[in-house]
Amino acid sequence: ETGVTQSPTHLIKTRGQQVTLRCSSQSGHNTVSWYQQALGQGPQFIFQYYREEENGRGNFPPRFSGLQFPNYSSELNVNALELDDSALYLCASSLPPVRTGGRGEQYFGPGTRLTVT
Amino acid sequence: GNSVTQMEGPVTLSEEAFLTINCTYTATGYPSLFWYVQYPGEGLQLLLKATKADDKGSNKGFEATYRKETTSFHLEKGSVQVSDSAVYFCALTNDYKLSFGAGTTVTVRA
């Protein structure tokens, strides 16, 4: 069984640039969620994708956007990068909410460390 | 909205000591509760879970019991090892997204 994978591992960008992070879900999971983890804090929910559509969104501005592909992999795009966007970005996969009632566990990838200078 | 409050760290222990990390939550309905662990430089690993009141989750010697009357899910381990040094996160979900506590850093000394 393949776990959740993310790429790249590390990334350095300049303020104002755009970035794309990628995630492949664990086999058998068709739901992908993205989280932002600032240094020394717990992860914060960005959004979730199910059946290639956004299934829910946290308190993040529209410059954070995403995609899910037919093979269930996903991308997180961030435009107009700001210094505060520096964080570990975590992708998590899970069974669909309709099967778990929205109460199922999520399995995380190793994360992408984004540094904005 | 949902929220999770967990014991502030850092916590430093000697090997074979008893570990407790307190976690309380606020949520509507009947959330599922989790403990995740994050080792240095890595993502989060699911440590254990409980989905209803009085359930006990357990894994790798760690245990936590879902206490609805006190809205708590405290993590315990009877005898810690150096390899248990990590950051521990309490989390819940009842609406597709996970809400996390701030994390507790645990260091176990040989």
Side-chain angles (χ1 to χ4, degrees), chain B residues 26-93:
Chain B
T26 302
T28 56
Y30 299 91
S32 292
L33 303 176
F34 308 92
W35 278 98
Y36 282 86
V37 59
Q38 187 172 38
Y39 298 101
E42 298 185 10
L44 275 69
Q45 296 180 23
L46 178 64
L47 183 58
L48 53 83
K49 69 175 184 179
T51 58
K52 60 183 186 296
D54 300 324
D55 264 2
K56 178 184 284 188
S58 61
N59 185 28
K60 300 181 180 179
F62 290 90
E63 292 184 340
T65 301
Y66 190 144
R67 300 289 188 199
K68 188 153 181 68
E69 64 276 13
T70 55
T71 62
S72 65
F73 192 55
H74 305 321
L75 182 68
E76 297 181 338
K77 185 174 185 181
S79 177
V80 294
Q81 306 300 313
V82 172
S83 58
D84 294 325
S85 298
V87 182
Y88 293 82
F89 292 94
C90 185
L92 67 82
T93 182

Short mmCIF file of all heavy atoms in Angstrom, two decimals, chain B residues 26-93:
data_model
loop_
_atom_site.label_atom_id
_atom_site.label_comp_id
_atom_site.label_asym_id
_atom_site.label_seq_id
_atom_site.Cartn_x
_atom_site.Cartn_y
_atom_site.Cartn_z
N THR B 26 -13.90 21.46 22.49
CA THR B 26 -15.22 22.06 22.35
C THR B 26 -15.71 21.72 20.95
O THR B 26 -15.01 21.98 19.97
CB THR B 26 -15.18 23.59 22.52
OG1 THR B 26 -14.65 23.90 23.80
CG2 THR B 26 -16.57 24.18 22.38
N ALA B 27 -16.88 21.11 20.87
CA ALA B 27 -17.43 20.74 19.56
C ALA B 27 -18.91 20.47 19.70
O ALA B 27 -19.39 20.10 20.77
CB ALA B 27 -16.72 19.51 19.01
N THR B 28 -19.62 20.63 18.60
CA THR B 28 -21.04 20.25 18.58
C THR B 28 -21.14 18.78 18.21
O THR B 28 -20.28 18.23 17.52
CB THR B 28 -21.81 21.10 17.57
OG1 THR B 28 -21.18 20.96 16.29
CG2 THR B 28 -21.79 22.57 17.97
N GLY B 29 -22.19 18.16 18.68
CA GLY B 29 -22.44 16.78 18.32
C GLY B 29 -21.44 15.81 18.91
O GLY B 29 -20.97 15.99 20.03
N TYR B 30 -21.08 14.81 18.11
CA TYR B 30 -20.22 13.72 18.58
C TYR B 30 -19.01 13.59 17.67
O TYR B 30 -19.00 12.79 16.74
CB TYR B 30 -21.03 12.41 18.61
CG TYR B 30 -22.22 12.51 19.53
CD1 TYR B 30 -23.47 12.93 19.08
CD2 TYR B 30 -22.08 12.20 20.88
CE1 TYR B 30 -24.54 13.03 19.94
CE2 TYR B 30 -23.15 12.30 21.75
CZ TYR B 30 -24.38 12.72 21.27
OH TYR B 30 -25.45 12.82 22.13
N PRO B 31 -17.97 14.37 17.96
CA PRO B 31 -16.80 14.32 17.09
C PRO B 31 -16.01 13.03 17.26
O PRO B 31 -16.14 12.34 18.28
CB PRO B 31 -15.98 15.52 17.56
CG PRO B 31 -16.34 15.67 19.01
CD PRO B 31 -17.81 15.31 19.07
N SER B 32 -15.21 12.71 16.28
CA SER B 32 -14.16 11.70 16.44
C SER B 32 -12.93 12.41 17.00
O SER B 32 -12.67 13.58 16.65
CB SER B 32 -13.81 11.05 15.10
OG SER B 32 -14.88 10.28 14.63
N LEU B 33 -12.18 11.72 17.83
CA LEU B 33 -11.01 12.30 18.48
C LEU B 33 -9.76 11.53 18.11
O LEU B 33 -9.81 10.29 17.95
CB LEU B 33 -11.19 12.29 20.01
CG LEU B 33 -12.42 13.00 20.55
CD1 LEU B 33 -12.53 12.83 22.06
CD2 LEU B 33 -12.40 14.48 20.19
N PHE B 34 -8.65 12.24 17.96
CA PHE B 34 -7.41 11.63 17.49
C PHE B 34 -6.21 12.18 18.27
O PHE B 34 -6.24 13.31 18.75
CB PHE B 34 -7.16 11.94 16.00
CG PHE B 34 -8.32 11.63 15.10
CD1 PHE B 34 -9.26 12.59 14.80
CD2 PHE B 34 -8.46 10.37 14.55
CE1 PHE B 34 -10.34 12.32 13.98
CE2 PHE B 34 -9.53 10.08 13.73
CZ PHE B 34 -10.46 11.05 13.43
N TRP B 35 -5.17 11.38 18.31
CA TRP B 35 -3.84 11.86 18.65
C TRP B 35 -2.93 11.56 17.46
O TRP B 35 -2.90 10.43 16.96
CB TRP B 35 -3.28 11.17 19.90
CG TRP B 35 -3.78 11.80 21.16
CD1 TRP B 35 -4.81 11.38 21.96
CD2 TRP B 35 -3.27 12.99 21.78
NE1 TRP B 35 -4.96 12.23 23.02
CE2 TRP B 35 -4.05 13.22 22.94
CE3 TRP B 35 -2.23 13.88 21.47
CZ2 TRP B 35 -3.81 14.30 23.80
CZ3 TRP B 35 -2.00 14.96 22.31
CH2 TRP B 35 -2.79 15.15 23.46
N TYR B 36 -2.23 12.61 17.03
CA TYR B 36 -1.23 12.49 15.97
C TYR B 36 0.14 12.78 16.59
O TYR B 36 0.26 13.56 17.53
CB TYR B 36 -1.49 13.49 14.84
CG TYR B 36 -2.60 13.09 13.89
CD1 TYR B 36 -3.93 13.41 14.17
CD2 TYR B 36 -2.32 12.41 12.71
CE1 TYR B 36 -4.94 13.05 13.29
CE2 TYR B 36 -3.33 12.05 11.83
CZ TYR B 36 -4.64 12.38 12.12
OH TYR B 36 -5.63 12.02 11.25
N VAL B 37 1.18 12.19 16.00
CA VAL B 37 2.54 12.43 16.45
C VAL B 37 3.39 12.91 15.28
O VAL B 37 3.21 12.45 14.14
CB VAL B 37 3.15 11.16 17.11
CG1 VAL B 37 3.17 9.99 16.14
CG2 VAL B 37 4.56 11.44 17.62
N GLN B 38 4.25 13.87 15.56
CA GLN B 38 5.12 14.43 14.51
C GLN B 38 6.58 14.34 14.99
O GLN B 38 6.96 15.01 15.95
CB GLN B 38 4.75 15.88 14.21
CG GLN B 38 5.49 16.48 13.03
CD GLN B 38 4.94 17.85 12.67
OE1 GLN B 38 4.57 18.65 13.52
NE2 GLN B 38 4.89 18.14 11.36
N TYR B 39 7.35 13.52 14.31
CA TYR B 39 8.78 13.41 14.60
C TYR B 39 9.52 14.52 13.85
O TYR B 39 9.02 15.03 12.84
CB TYR B 39 9.29 12.03 14.22
CG TYR B 39 8.62 10.93 15.01
CD1 TYR B 39 7.59 10.17 14.46
CD2 TYR B 39 8.98 10.67 16.33
CE1 TYR B 39 6.95 9.18 15.19
CE2 TYR B 39 8.34 9.70 17.08
CZ TYR B 39 7.32 8.96 16.50
OH TYR B 39 6.68 7.99 17.22
N PRO B 40 10.69 14.91 14.32
CA PRO B 40 11.43 16.03 13.72
C PRO B 40 11.57 15.89 12.20
O PRO B 40 12.01 14.86 11.71
CB PRO B 40 12.78 15.96 14.43
CG PRO B 40 12.48 15.33 15.75
CD PRO B 40 11.40 14.34 15.48
N GLY B 41 11.18 16.95 11.51
CA GLY B 41 11.34 16.99 10.06
C GLY B 41 10.37 16.13 9.28
O GLY B 41 10.55 15.94 8.07
N GLU B 42 9.33 15.62 9.93
CA GLU B 42 8.38 14.73 9.26
C GLU B 42 6.96 15.26 9.31
O GLU B 42 6.67 16.25 9.97
CB GLU B 42 8.44 13.34 9.89
CG GLU B 42 9.79 12.66 9.78
CD GLU B 42 9.77 11.24 10.32
OE1 GLU B 42 8.68 10.72 10.61
OE2 GLU B 42 10.86 10.66 10.45
N GLY B 43 6.07 14.58 8.58
CA GLY B 43 4.65 14.91 8.63
C GLY B 43 4.02 14.29 9.86
O GLY B 43 4.70 13.78 10.75
N LEU B 44 2.68 14.31 9.90
CA LEU B 44 1.95 13.79 11.05
C LEU B 44 1.60 12.32 10.84
O LEU B 44 1.18 11.93 9.76
CB LEU B 44 0.67 14.58 11.27
CG LEU B 44 0.77 15.85 12.09
CD1 LEU B 44 1.54 16.91 11.34
CD2 LEU B 44 -0.62 16.38 12.45
N GLN B 45 1.75 11.54 11.91
CA GLN B 45 1.35 10.14 11.88
C GLN B 45 0.19 9.94 12.85
O GLN B 45 0.24 10.43 13.98
CB GLN B 45 2.50 9.23 12.31
CG GLN B 45 3.71 9.25 11.39
CD GLN B 45 4.80 8.34 11.89
OE1 GLN B 45 4.56 7.39 12.64
NE2 GLN B 45 6.03 8.60 11.46
N LEU B 46 -0.83 9.22 12.40
CA LEU B 46 -1.94 8.91 13.29
C LEU B 46 -1.46 7.95 14.36
O LEU B 46 -0.94 6.87 14.06
CB LEU B 46 -3.08 8.29 12.49
CG LEU B 46 -4.30 7.85 13.28
CD1 LEU B 46 -4.98 9.05 13.93
CD2 LEU B 46 -5.29 7.11 12.38
N LEU B 47 -1.62 8.33 15.62
CA LEU B 47 -1.19 7.49 16.73
C LEU B 47 -2.35 6.62 17.24
O LEU B 47 -2.21 5.41 17.40
CB LEU B 47 -0.66 8.37 17.87
CG LEU B 47 -0.11 7.66 19.10
CD1 LEU B 47 1.03 6.72 18.73
CD2 LEU B 47 0.34 8.68 20.14
N LEU B 48 -3.50 7.25 17.48
CA LEU B 48 -4.67 6.50 17.91
C LEU B 48 -5.92 7.34 17.72
O LEU B 48 -5.84 8.55 17.49
CB LEU B 48 -4.54 6.04 19.37
CG LEU B 48 -4.23 7.08 20.43
CD1 LEU B 48 -5.47 7.81 20.90
CD2 LEU B 48 -3.53 6.45 21.63
N LYS B 49 -7.08 6.68 17.82
CA LYS B 49 -8.34 7.38 17.61
C LYS B 49 -9.44 6.78 18.48
O LYS B 49 -9.32 5.64 18.96
CB LYS B 49 -8.76 7.31 16.16
CG LYS B 49 -9.17 5.91 15.71
CD LYS B 49 -9.70 5.90 14.29
CE LYS B 49 -10.18 4.50 13.91
NZ LYS B 49 -10.73 4.46 12.53
N ALA B 50 -10.51 7.56 18.66
CA ALA B 50 -11.72 7.08 19.32
C ALA B 50 -12.89 7.79 18.68
O ALA B 50 -12.83 8.99 18.41
CB ALA B 50 -11.67 7.36 20.82
N THR B 51 -13.96 7.05 18.41
CA THR B 51 -15.06 7.63 17.65
C THR B 51 -16.34 7.81 18.45
O THR B 51 -17.28 8.45 17.96
CB THR B 51 -15.37 6.76 16.42
OG1 THR B 51 -15.69 5.44 16.86
CG2 THR B 51 -14.18 6.72 15.47
N LYS B 52 -16.41 7.28 19.67
CA LYS B 52 -17.60 7.52 20.47
C LYS B 52 -17.24 7.51 21.94
O LYS B 52 -16.16 7.04 22.34
CB LYS B 52 -18.68 6.49 20.17
CG LYS B 52 -18.30 5.06 20.44
CD LYS B 52 -19.44 4.13 20.04
CE LYS B 52 -19.18 2.70 20.43
NZ LYS B 52 -18.02 2.13 19.74
N ALA B 53 -18.17 8.02 22.74
CA ALA B 53 -17.95 8.17 24.18
C ALA B 53 -17.55 6.84 24.81
O ALA B 53 -18.09 5.79 24.48
CB ALA B 53 -19.19 8.73 24.85
N ASP B 54 -16.55 6.91 25.70
CA ASP B 54 -16.01 5.79 26.47
C ASP B 54 -15.13 4.85 25.65
O ASP B 54 -14.58 3.89 26.20
CB ASP B 54 -17.11 4.99 27.16
CG ASP B 54 -17.92 5.84 28.12
OD1 ASP B 54 -17.32 6.72 28.76
OD2 ASP B 54 -19.14 5.64 28.22
N ASP B 55 -14.97 5.11 24.36
CA ASP B 55 -14.02 4.35 23.55
C ASP B 55 -12.61 4.60 24.07
O ASP B 55 -12.27 5.73 24.43
CB ASP B 55 -14.08 4.80 22.09
CG ASP B 55 -14.97 3.93 21.25
OD1 ASP B 55 -15.59 3.00 21.79
OD2 ASP B 55 -15.04 4.19 20.03
N LYS B 56 -11.77 3.58 24.05
CA LYS B 56 -10.36 3.74 24.37
C LYS B 56 -9.56 3.44 23.13
O LYS B 56 -9.64 2.33 22.59
CB LYS B 56 -9.94 2.82 25.51
CG LYS B 56 -8.46 2.92 25.84
CD LYS B 56 -8.02 1.93 26.92
CE LYS B 56 -8.46 2.39 28.28
NZ LYS B 56 -7.88 1.52 29.36
N GLY B 57 -8.78 4.41 22.67
CA GLY B 57 -7.85 4.18 21.58
C GLY B 57 -6.51 3.79 22.16
O GLY B 57 -6.11 4.29 23.21
N SER B 58 -5.80 2.90 21.46
CA SER B 58 -4.49 2.48 21.94
C SER B 58 -3.60 2.09 20.78
O SER B 58 -4.07 1.59 19.76
CB SER B 58 -4.61 1.32 22.93
OG SER B 58 -5.19 0.20 22.30
N ASN B 59 -2.29 2.33 20.97
CA ASN B 59 -1.32 1.99 19.94
C ASN B 59 0.08 2.24 20.52
O ASN B 59 0.31 3.27 21.16
CB ASN B 59 -1.52 2.83 18.68
CG ASN B 59 -0.62 2.43 17.54
OD1 ASN B 59 -0.20 1.28 17.44
ND2 ASN B 59 -0.33 3.37 16.66
N LYS B 60 1.00 1.31 20.29
CA LYS B 60 2.40 1.46 20.70
C LYS B 60 2.55 1.79 22.17
O LYS B 60 3.46 2.53 22.56
CB LYS B 60 3.09 2.55 19.86
CG LYS B 60 3.09 2.28 18.36
CD LYS B 60 3.81 3.39 17.61
CE LYS B 60 3.82 3.11 16.12
NZ LYS B 60 4.49 4.18 15.35
N GLY B 61 1.67 1.30 23.01
CA GLY B 61 1.75 1.56 24.45
C GLY B 61 1.05 2.83 24.89
O GLY B 61 0.93 3.09 26.08
N PHE B 62 0.60 3.64 23.95
CA PHE B 62 -0.15 4.86 24.26
C PHE B 62 -1.64 4.53 24.35
O PHE B 62 -2.14 3.68 23.62
CB PHE B 62 0.05 5.92 23.17
CG PHE B 62 1.42 6.52 23.14
CD1 PHE B 62 2.42 5.95 22.36
CD2 PHE B 62 1.72 7.66 23.87
CE1 PHE B 62 3.69 6.49 22.32
CE2 PHE B 62 2.98 8.22 23.83
CZ PHE B 62 3.97 7.63 23.05
N GLU B 63 -2.34 5.25 25.24
CA GLU B 63 -3.78 5.08 25.38
C GLU B 63 -4.44 6.44 25.59
O GLU B 63 -3.83 7.35 26.14
CB GLU B 63 -4.10 4.22 26.61
CG GLU B 63 -3.68 2.77 26.50
CD GLU B 63 -4.13 1.98 27.72
OE1 GLU B 63 -4.40 2.61 28.77
OE2 GLU B 63 -4.18 0.75 27.62
N ALA B 64 -5.71 6.53 25.16
CA ALA B 64 -6.52 7.71 25.45
C ALA B 64 -7.98 7.29 25.44
O ALA B 64 -8.39 6.49 24.59
CB ALA B 64 -6.29 8.81 24.41
N THR B 65 -8.76 7.81 26.39
CA THR B 65 -10.17 7.46 26.52
C THR B 65 -11.03 8.67 26.24
O THR B 65 -10.80 9.76 26.77
CB THR B 65 -10.48 6.92 27.92
OG1 THR B 65 -9.66 5.76 28.15
CG2 THR B 65 -11.94 6.52 28.04
N TYR B 66 -12.04 8.49 25.41
CA TYR B 66 -13.00 9.53 25.00
C TYR B 66 -13.95 9.76 26.16
O TYR B 66 -14.82 8.93 26.44
CB TYR B 66 -13.74 9.02 23.78
CG TYR B 66 -14.62 9.97 23.01
CD1 TYR B 66 -14.69 9.87 21.64
CD2 TYR B 66 -15.41 10.94 23.63
CE1 TYR B 66 -15.52 10.70 20.88
CE2 TYR B 66 -16.22 11.77 22.91
CZ TYR B 66 -16.27 11.65 21.52
OH TYR B 66 -17.09 12.47 20.79
N ARG B 67 -13.82 10.89 26.83
CA ARG B 67 -14.67 11.22 27.98
C ARG B 67 -15.60 12.36 27.60
O ARG B 67 -15.20 13.53 27.59
CB ARG B 67 -13.82 11.64 29.18
CG ARG B 67 -12.84 10.58 29.65
CD ARG B 67 -13.54 9.44 30.33
NE ARG B 67 -12.59 8.51 30.96
CZ ARG B 67 -12.89 7.28 31.30
NH1 ARG B 67 -14.11 6.80 31.06
NH2 ARG B 67 -11.98 6.50 31.87
N LYS B 68 -16.84 12.03 27.26
CA LYS B 68 -17.75 13.08 26.81
C LYS B 68 -18.19 13.98 27.97
O LYS B 68 -18.40 15.17 27.80
CB LYS B 68 -18.99 12.45 26.14
CG LYS B 68 -19.88 13.49 25.49
CD LYS B 68 -20.65 12.92 24.34
CE LYS B 68 -21.52 13.99 23.69
NZ LYS B 68 -20.68 14.99 23.02
N GLU B 69 -18.29 13.41 29.17
CA GLU B 69 -18.78 14.20 30.29
C GLU B 69 -17.80 15.31 30.68
O GLU B 69 -18.21 16.36 31.17
CB GLU B 69 -19.07 13.30 31.50
CG GLU B 69 -17.86 12.60 32.10
CD GLU B 69 -17.50 11.31 31.39
OE1 GLU B 69 -18.01 11.06 30.27
OE2 GLU B 69 -16.66 10.55 31.94
N THR B 70 -16.51 15.07 30.43
CA THR B 70 -15.51 16.09 30.72
C THR B 70 -14.90 16.67 29.45
O THR B 70 -13.97 17.48 29.52
CB THR B 70 -14.36 15.51 31.58
OG1 THR B 70 -13.82 14.36 30.91
CG2 THR B 70 -14.86 15.12 32.96
N THR B 71 -15.44 16.30 28.30
CA THR B 71 -14.92 16.71 26.97
C THR B 71 -13.40 16.63 26.94
O THR B 71 -12.71 17.60 26.62
CB THR B 71 -15.42 18.10 26.55
OG1 THR B 71 -14.97 19.08 27.48
CG2 THR B 71 -16.92 18.13 26.45
N SER B 72 -12.87 15.44 27.26
CA SER B 72 -11.43 15.28 27.33
C SER B 72 -10.99 14.03 26.60
O SER B 72 -11.78 13.09 26.36
CB SER B 72 -10.98 15.22 28.79
OG SER B 72 -11.51 14.07 29.44
N PHE B 73 -9.70 14.00 26.24
CA PHE B 73 -9.11 12.86 25.53
C PHE B 73 -7.62 12.86 25.86
O PHE B 73 -6.77 13.07 25.02
CB PHE B 73 -9.37 13.02 24.03
CG PHE B 73 -9.07 11.79 23.20
CD1 PHE B 73 -9.65 10.57 23.50
CD2 PHE B 73 -8.25 11.87 22.09
CE1 PHE B 73 -9.40 9.44 22.73
CE2 PHE B 73 -7.99 10.74 21.30
CZ PHE B 73 -8.57 9.53 21.63
N HIS B 74 -7.29 12.61 27.11
CA HIS B 74 -5.93 12.70 27.59
C HIS B 74 -5.09 11.52 27.11
O HIS B 74 -5.52 10.37 27.18
CB HIS B 74 -5.90 12.74 29.12
CG HIS B 74 -6.73 13.83 29.72
ND1 HIS B 74 -6.83 15.10 29.17
CD2 HIS B 74 -7.52 13.83 30.83
CE1 HIS B 74 -7.61 15.83 29.91
NE2 HIS B 74 -8.07 15.10 30.92
N LEU B 75 -3.86 11.80 26.70
CA LEU B 75 -2.95 10.76 26.20
C LEU B 75 -2.04 10.29 27.34
O LEU B 75 -1.52 11.11 28.11
CB LEU B 75 -2.09 11.32 25.07
CG LEU B 75 -1.11 10.34 24.41
CD1 LEU B 75 -1.88 9.28 23.63
CD2 LEU B 75 -0.15 11.10 23.49
N GLU B 76 -1.87 8.97 27.45
CA GLU B 76 -1.02 8.41 28.50
C GLU B 76 -0.14 7.29 27.95
O GLU B 76 -0.54 6.57 27.03
CB GLU B 76 -1.89 7.83 29.63
CG GLU B 76 -2.73 8.84 30.35
CD GLU B 76 -3.55 8.21 31.48
OE1 GLU B 76 -3.79 6.99 31.43
OE2 GLU B 76 -3.93 8.94 32.40
N LYS B 77 1.06 7.19 28.56
CA LYS B 77 1.91 6.04 28.29
C LYS B 77 2.64 5.70 29.58
O LYS B 77 3.19 6.60 30.23
CB LYS B 77 2.92 6.31 27.18
CG LYS B 77 3.72 5.05 26.82
CD LYS B 77 4.62 5.23 25.62
CE LYS B 77 5.29 3.90 25.26
NZ LYS B 77 6.22 3.99 24.12
N GLY B 78 2.65 4.44 29.92
CA GLY B 78 3.17 4.02 31.22
C GLY B 78 4.69 4.07 31.34
O GLY B 78 5.20 4.30 32.44
N SER B 79 5.41 3.89 30.24
CA SER B 79 6.87 3.83 30.32
C SER B 79 7.44 4.33 28.99
O SER B 79 7.46 3.60 28.00
CB SER B 79 7.33 2.39 30.59
OG SER B 79 8.74 2.29 30.61
N VAL B 80 7.88 5.58 28.98
CA VAL B 80 8.33 6.18 27.72
C VAL B 80 9.76 5.77 27.39
O VAL B 80 10.56 5.42 28.27
CB VAL B 80 8.21 7.72 27.76
CG1 VAL B 80 6.76 8.13 27.85
CG2 VAL B 80 9.04 8.31 28.90
N GLN B 81 10.07 5.85 26.10
CA GLN B 81 11.40 5.57 25.60
C GLN B 81 11.94 6.81 24.89
O GLN B 81 11.18 7.70 24.52
CB GLN B 81 11.36 4.39 24.61
CG GLN B 81 10.72 3.13 25.18
CD GLN B 81 11.47 2.63 26.41
OE1 GLN B 81 12.70 2.52 26.39
NE2 GLN B 81 10.73 2.31 27.46
N VAL B 82 13.25 6.82 24.68
CA VAL B 82 13.86 7.96 23.97
C VAL B 82 13.21 8.16 22.61
O VAL B 82 13.00 9.29 22.16
CB VAL B 82 15.38 7.75 23.84
CG1 VAL B 82 15.99 8.81 22.94
CG2 VAL B 82 16.04 7.77 25.21
N SER B 83 12.83 7.07 21.97
CA SER B 83 12.21 7.13 20.64
C SER B 83 10.82 7.77 20.65
O SER B 83 10.26 8.04 19.58
CB SER B 83 12.12 5.73 20.04
OG SER B 83 11.38 4.88 20.89
N ASP B 84 10.25 8.01 21.82
CA ASP B 84 8.94 8.68 21.92
C ASP B 84 9.08 10.20 21.88
O ASP B 84 8.07 10.93 21.89
CB ASP B 84 8.23 8.28 23.22
CG ASP B 84 7.83 6.81 23.24
OD1 ASP B 84 7.47 6.28 22.18
OD2 ASP B 84 7.90 6.20 24.33
N SER B 85 10.29 10.71 21.82
CA SER B 85 10.51 12.15 21.73
C SER B 85 9.93 12.66 20.42
O SER B 85 10.31 12.20 19.33
CB SER B 85 12.01 12.46 21.79
OG SER B 85 12.56 12.05 23.01
N ALA B 86 8.98 13.60 20.51
CA ALA B 86 8.25 14.08 19.34
C ALA B 86 7.31 15.19 19.78
O ALA B 86 7.24 15.52 20.96
CB ALA B 86 7.46 12.94 18.70
N VAL B 87 6.55 15.72 18.81
CA VAL B 87 5.47 16.65 19.12
C VAL B 87 4.15 15.90 18.96
O VAL B 87 3.93 15.23 17.94
CB VAL B 87 5.49 17.88 18.20
CG1 VAL B 87 4.37 18.85 18.59
CG2 VAL B 87 6.84 18.58 18.26
N TYR B 88 3.29 16.01 19.95
CA TYR B 88 2.02 15.29 19.97
C TYR B 88 0.87 16.29 19.80
O TYR B 88 0.81 17.31 20.49
CB TYR B 88 1.87 14.51 21.27
CG TYR B 88 2.88 13.37 21.37
CD1 TYR B 88 4.18 13.61 21.79
CD2 TYR B 88 2.53 12.08 21.01
CE1 TYR B 88 5.11 12.58 21.86
CE2 TYR B 88 3.45 11.04 21.08
CZ TYR B 88 4.74 11.30 21.50
OH TYR B 88 5.65 10.27 21.55
N PHE B 89 -0.04 15.97 18.88
CA PHE B 89 -1.18 16.83 18.59
C PHE B 89 -2.48 16.09 18.87
O PHE B 89 -2.69 14.98 18.37
CB PHE B 89 -1.19 17.25 17.12
CG PHE B 89 -0.07 18.17 16.73
CD1 PHE B 89 1.10 17.66 16.19
CD2 PHE B 89 -0.19 19.55 16.90
CE1 PHE B 89 2.13 18.50 15.82
CE2 PHE B 89 0.83 20.40 16.53
CZ PHE B 89 2.00 19.88 15.99
N CYS B 90 -3.35 16.74 19.62
CA CYS B 90 -4.71 16.27 19.81
C CYS B 90 -5.57 16.91 18.72
O CYS B 90 -5.35 18.09 18.37
CB CYS B 90 -5.20 16.68 21.20
SG CYS B 90 -6.82 16.07 21.66
N ALA B 91 -6.51 16.16 18.17
CA ALA B 91 -7.33 16.69 17.07
C ALA B 91 -8.72 16.10 17.11
O ALA B 91 -8.95 15.04 17.70
CB ALA B 91 -6.67 16.39 15.72
N LEU B 92 -9.66 16.79 16.47
CA LEU B 92 -11.02 16.27 16.37
C LEU B 92 -11.60 16.60 15.00
O LEU B 92 -11.14 17.51 14.31
CB LEU B 92 -11.91 16.85 17.47
CG LEU B 92 -12.25 18.33 17.48
CD1 LEU B 92 -13.41 18.68 16.53
CD2 LEU B 92 -12.65 18.77 18.89
N THR B 93 -12.64 15.87 14.65
CA THR B 93 -13.41 16.20 13.46
C THR B 93 -14.85 15.76 13.63
O THR B 93 -15.12 14.71 14.21
CB THR B 93 -12.83 15.55 12.19
OG1 THR B 93 -13.62 15.96 11.06
CG2 THR B 93 -12.86 14.02 12.25
#
